[in-house]
Amino acid sequence: MGASRRAPALRPLPVLLAWLLQQHGAFASALSGDGVAEPAAMMGINPSPSAGAPQVPGATTIEETRLQVFTLDYLHVQIPFEITLWILLASLAKIGFHLYHKLPHIVPESCLLILVGLILGGIMFGVQEKSPPVMKSDVFFLYLLPPIVLDAGYFMPTRLFFENFGTIFWYAVVGTLWNSFGIGISLFAICQIEIFGLSDITLLQSLLFGSLISAVDPVAVLAVFENIHVNEQLYILVFGESLLNDAVTVVLYNLFKSFCQMPTIEVIDIFAGIANFFVVGIGGVLIGIILGFVAAFTTRYTHKIRVIEPLFVFLYSYLSYITAEMFHLSGIMAIISCAMTMNKYVEENVSQKSYTTIKYFMKMLSSVSETLIFIFMGVSTVGKNHEWNWAFVCFTLLFCLIWRALGVFALTQIINVFRTIPLTFKDQFIIAYGGLRGAICFSLVFLLPSAVFPRKKLFITAAIVVIFFTVFIQGITIRPLVEFLDVKRSNKKQPAVSEEIYCRFFDHVKAGIEDVCGHWGHNFWKDKFVKFDKKYLRRLLIRESQPKSSIVSLYKKLEIKHAIELAESGMISTVPSLSSISEHQEEEKISPFYPAQMDNIRDILTKNLYQIRQRAPSYNRYSLAEDANEKQAKEILIRRRHSLRESIRKSNSLSRTVLCRRKIQGNNIVQKMSERYAKKFPVM
């Protein structure tokens, strides 16, 4: 009887443990909302029914569990697993593209990546699989586009951009309006012909499609123009236009999309749309500049925690983008202005290691995002979301080419009047021919609501045809055209310190001439901003440990940069060693130095430690240089400085030794002659 009474007290212990696990699983499912996987399955425990399972008093019947050696729970890791596989596939495709060295000179990388995407999309469509969740327009605008724009804005040549800002703004704003209204009105006129079967497309729908199809894509422009190496001015005009006109395109897209959803449009709505056009662009710029200043002020106090310096650059830049998108402002303008602001001030505060980390990590993110975008464009092309109409598709492509060419040539004739160096016919042709469409219009056309736009599939088909024509046909043929027209190429040589000093000197001279003449031009306002920057902004945003002289600061920055590039390019062996310098000094005839000359040489060597060396190749998005080692760069500086000082000290000591020996020899000769003279002529 005693044994029979103890048994019920021992049985509920494992049962209570199983019951607690079940309750924990129900709680986790309630938190997640979908109950993807049971906790027992996640822990490797598989439930099995049991007839005589004991019960806890006041609880329901539970199932007996058994431990499994191996389990599979794909749903638990599905999304991160698929994202990792897509990134891995994109990286492997990029590696395979660059294995054959002649292929990038013939076909742009974007073309082959789109072909890879088309093959994958065909395979997925053949097995009736749906597109993965990462291939959405929201994912493109929130995750894939920001790294590319950040990389372009952070490493943008600021001087060239602001010197050509008037022309870039003219092309981006007026040119985009020209193309949008020209293409939209022309397509609406074609739709009025009844034989084409397009009479159900309204004027607002045509203007909406014209606004999104006129967007010059920065991703496609970067992928093509950085491979053909056109001159810096031509590159900054096309690339700057592609960055700014995306903001204009998004504003026009949202404006016409809102008009299409309105039952009636009043005059006040038109004026509100015009005001919204300026608010979106200016608001995005202000948000980017403010957060760029905050980032610079934050990095002012990170000199004791260097490891988190690169993190602030990425956090504040992405925060500016999503903040602008939250207020329906231009996220592209926000992240560009934030990146340019951080490049000016944050670079002065962070260490050289942090700058190298920022550079390569930003380069990696933009390269991966660009690769994924082109692959996803190819994957999303294959599907049942197409409608073919020969008239609409062919006239869309024709009008895109015609209005782009007419807009560039007409607007250039006006802007050349105000330019110091006018744009030639060759430059105009390359600008018109380089208007490549890409992922911007591809994503915008997929965002159209099907309820408001019944011909959405036709718009998708026409947009894809225009994108493929510009990327494949124009992207492949632009390099032979540049070579045939003999367009000026970029100069890879980095400016020397003397060139930088002369540029600054002439900037001051031109600003002074404008001030004397009473002309408030570009140089006048630039000089005013430089004075305001030195007086207020730099004192607030940059640490006080920086050199007071701007020339010394520029010299130090350029020399450290050149030394690191020398270490990256593997040219360390060209630095002379102490033994080679000493051997060279022994071979040459040593001339004595006076103490005043030695003091002058020491003073010169203190201010200028080493000469300007041959420059390494400049920054390129597609060819990643070898890993930089800051210790090697510092070793180069130290070795060269010590070698010069040691050589001068040896020459000085040697010259003094020779003089002392000659003096001693002279004294000995005089003494011997005096002794001989005394012996021959003794004093009486």
Side-chain angles (χ1 to χ4, degrees):
M1 293 295 291
S4 63
R5 290 179 181 177
R6 292 174 188 172
L10 296 175
R11 283 179 187 175
L13 293 177
V15 178
L16 282 173
L17 179 61
W19 180 76
L20 290 174
L21 289 175
Q22 184 181 11
Q23 297 299 321
H24 174 71
F27 179 71
S29 300
L31 286 179
S32 60
D34 52 2
V36 176
E38 294 292 336
M42 294 173 60
M43 298 176 62
I45 302 175
N46 196 17
S48 60
S50 178
Q55 298 180 0
V56 179
T60 60
T61 304
I62 62 173
E63 298 177 348
E64 186 178 358
T65 58
R66 289 290 182 267
L67 181 66
Q68 300 293 329
V69 178
F70 176 78
T71 57
L72 176 64
D73 189 9
Y74 176 71
L75 295 177
H76 180 58
V77 296
Q78 179 182 4
I79 294 179
F81 184 76
E82 291 180 354
I83 292 175
T84 305
L85 287 182
W86 277 109
I87 296 176
L88 180 62
L89 175 65
S91 303
L92 292 177
K94 200 176 186 69
I95 292 174
F97 171 74
H98 288 279
L99 286 179
Y100 186 61
H101 301 288
K102 295 183 179 179
L103 191 59
H105 297 281
I106 302 174
V107 182
E109 181 181 345
S110 56
C111 300
L112 294 181
L113 294 177
I114 291 177
L115 289 177
V116 174
L118 288 173
I119 296 173
L120 293 176
I123 295 174
M124 296 172 63
F125 185 75
V127 297
Q128 298 296 327
E129 289 286 343
K130 294 183 179 180
S131 299
V134 293
M135 295 164 51
K136 295 181 180 179
S137 297
D138 291 338
V139 173
F140 166 76
F141 281 106
L142 293 180
Y143 302 107
L144 296 180
L145 184 61
I148 299 174
V149 182
L150 173 63
D151 175 71
Y154 195 83
F155 295 103
M156 180 183 293
T158 309
R159 183 184 181 91
L160 278 174
F161 179 78
F162 284 105
E163 286 181 350
N164 297 275
F165 182 77
T167 306
I168 294 172
F169 186 81
W170 181 254
Y171 282 143
V173 178
V174 182
T176 304
L177 293 174
W178 170 281
N179 291 327
S180 300
F181 284 97
I183 295 172
I185 295 174
S186 301
L187 287 177
F188 179 72
I190 295 299
C191 293
Q192 301 309 306
I193 303 176
E194 296 182 358
I195 194 175
F196 294 147
L198 303 170
S199 57
D200 57 337
I201 299 178
T202 63
L203 176 60
L204 286 177
Q205 293 177 358
S206 300
L207 290 174
L208 174 65
F209 181 72
S211 65
L212 66 91
I213 203 65
S214 62
V216 179
D217 188 61
V219 182
V221 170
L222 278 174
V224 173
F225 271 74
E226 288 196 347
N227 283 334
I228 61 178
H229 302 294
V230 294
N231 60 81
E232 291 82 0
Q233 178 177 277
L234 191 57
Y235 170 78
I236 200 65
L237 288 178
V238 179
F239 178 62
E241 178 202 358
S242 66
L243 285 178
L244 297 186
N245 87 333
D246 284 342
V248 179
T249 299
V250 173
V251 173
L252 290 177
Y253 173 84
N254 293 326
L255 180 63
F256 288 127
K257 183 179 177 181
S258 301
F259 284 165
C260 290
Q261 296 174 349
M262 290 181 181
T264 57
I265 301 175
E266 300 180 357
V267 180
I268 189 65
D269 297 327
I270 299 176
F271 284 103
I274 297 174
N276 179 261
F277 180 82
F278 292 98
V279 169
V280 168
I282 298 175
V285 172
L286 292 178
I287 289 177
I289 293 176
I290 291 173
L291 288 179
F293 285 155
V294 174
F297 185 78
T298 305
T299 55
R300 182 180 180 182
Y301 301 99
T302 57
H303 56 281
K304 294 184 179 180
I305 317 175
R306 295 289 190 182
V307 69
I308 63 174
E309 286 178 341
L311 183 63
F312 289 113
V313 174
F314 297 100
L315 287 181
Y316 279 111
S317 58
Y318 187 65
L319 183 63
S320 66
Y321 183 86
I322 58 178
T323 303
E325 291 292 330
M326 179 176 62
F327 290 101
H328 294 282
L329 302 176
S330 176
I332 297 176
M333 298 296 296
I335 197 170
I336 290 173
S337 55
C338 181
M340 297 177 69
T341 305
M342 289 191 300
N343 186 28
K344 180 175 178 60
Y345 298 105
V346 174
E347 187 178 348
E348 298 286 343
N349 292 330
V350 300
S351 64
Q352 190 63 39
K353 290 183 179 179
S354 299
Y355 174 77
T356 305
T357 304
I358 293 169
K359 173 182 176 180
Y360 288 118
F361 193 75
M362 197 177 294
K363 181 183 180 67
M364 180 198 67
L365 285 179
S366 63
S367 180
V368 172
S369 299
E370 179 183 318
T371 306
L372 289 174
I373 285 172
F374 286 118
I375 288 183
F376 291 158
M377 283 175 58
V379 172
S380 303
T381 300
V382 182
K384 298 180 180 180
N385 50 2
H386 297 291
E387 178 187 350
W388 186 263
N389 186 290
W390 281 100
F392 189 83
V393 172
C394 294
F395 278 108
T396 298
L397 179 59
L398 181 63
F399 289 148
C400 286
L401 297 177
I402 292 176
W403 285 102
R404 171 72 181 179
L406 291 177
V408 170
F409 289 118
L411 295 177
T412 307
Q413 299 303 318
I414 300 174
I415 200 64
N416 272 343
V417 179
F418 305 96
R419 288 183 59 88
T420 306
I421 303 176
L423 297 174
T424 62
F425 176 78
K426 296 179 181 179
D427 296 335
Q428 298 175 42
F429 180 80
I430 297 300
I431 293 173
Y433 200 77
L436 307 179
R437 274 67 169 181
I440 296 291
C441 61
F442 185 83
S443 300
L444 289 177
V445 75
F446 271 93
L447 287 176
L448 293 175
S450 302
V452 183
F453 301 92
R455 307 299 292 269
K456 175 183 176 179
K457 293 183 178 180
L458 179 60
F459 291 163
I460 292 175
T461 305
I464 290 175
V465 170
V466 173
I467 292 171
F468 282 13
F469 180 86
T470 56
V471 173
F472 281 90
I473 305 300
Q474 295 180 211
I476 293 175
T477 58
I478 192 170
R479 177 186 288 272
L481 285 175
V482 168
E483 295 176 354
F484 175 76
L485 296 175
D486 195 18
V487 179
K488 184 181 177 182
R489 298 300 184 93
S490 61
N491 185 15
K492 296 183 180 181
K493 183 180 178 181
Q494 297 293 328
V497 177
S498 58
E499 296 177 3
E500 293 285 345
I501 294 174
Y502 288 146
C503 288
R504 291 192 178 189
F505 170 73
F506 283 114
D507 288 341
H508 288 295
V509 171
K510 290 185 289 185
I513 293 174
E514 289 184 357
D515 196 7
V516 171
C517 298
H519 176 66
W520 291 0
H522 169 75
N523 296 284
F524 174 81
W525 292 111
K526 180 181 177 182
D527 185 66
K528 293 297 181 183
F529 174 76
V530 170
K531 292 181 179 178
F532 177 80
D533 179 54
K534 290 182 178 179
K535 189 175 182 181
Y536 299 104
L537 296 181
R538 296 185 68 88
R539 292 183 179 180
L540 178 64
L541 303 177
I542 298 178
R543 285 196 299 269
E544 299 178 355
S545 60
Q546 303 298 326
K548 295 183 179 180
S549 175
S550 60
I551 296 179
V552 174
S553 176
L554 175 64
Y555 187 85
K556 178 182 178 182
K557 184 190 302 183
L558 289 177
E559 290 300 329
I560 293 177
K561 178 182 177 182
H562 298 332
I564 293 176
E565 290 177 352
L566 182 64
E568 292 177 354
S569 59
M571 299 172 59
I572 304 177
S573 59
T574 60
V575 179
S577 60
L578 293 175
S579 59
S580 62
I581 291 181
S582 59
E583 292 175 359
H584 182 70
Q585 292 288 343
E586 290 176 359
E587 293 178 358
E588 294 182 356
K589 184 178 180 181
I590 302 175
S591 58
F593 291 92
Y594 297 101
Q597 294 178 343
M598 291 301 302
D599 294 336
N600 188 19
I601 291 175
R602 289 194 183 93
D603 185 46
I604 293 175
L605 291 177
T606 303
K607 297 180 180 178
N608 308 284
L609 298 182
Y610 48 90
Q611 298 178 354
I612 303 297
R613 296 177 297 275
Q614 185 178 1
R615 269 65 176 174
S618 59
Y619 172 77
N620 188 7
R621 288 166 51 89
Y622 297 101
S623 59
L624 188 62
E626 298 180 2
D627 188 16
N629 191 345
E630 190 178 5
K631 293 183 179 179
Q632 293 180 351
K634 291 181 177 179
E635 184 66 23
I636 293 172
L637 306 182
I638 295 171
R639 287 172 58 186
R640 188 164 183 82
R641 181 181 63 184
H642 284 294
S643 62
L644 291 175
R645 289 185 174 179
E646 289 294 331
S647 61
I648 293 174
R649 288 176 181 175
K650 288 182 179 181
S651 61
N652 187 22
S653 61
L654 184 60
S655 61
R656 291 181 179 178
T657 303
V658 172
L659 291 176
C660 292
R661 288 180 179 177
R662 291 178 180 178
K663 186 175 181 180
I664 293 172
Q665 291 177 359
N667 293 333
N668 293 334
I669 292 172
V670 172
Q671 185 177 1
K672 290 180 180 179
M673 291 180 64
S674 59
E675 291 178 355
R676 291 179 181 179
Y677 183 81
K679 289 180 180 179
K680 289 184 179 181
F681 304 99
V683 180
M684 299 300 295

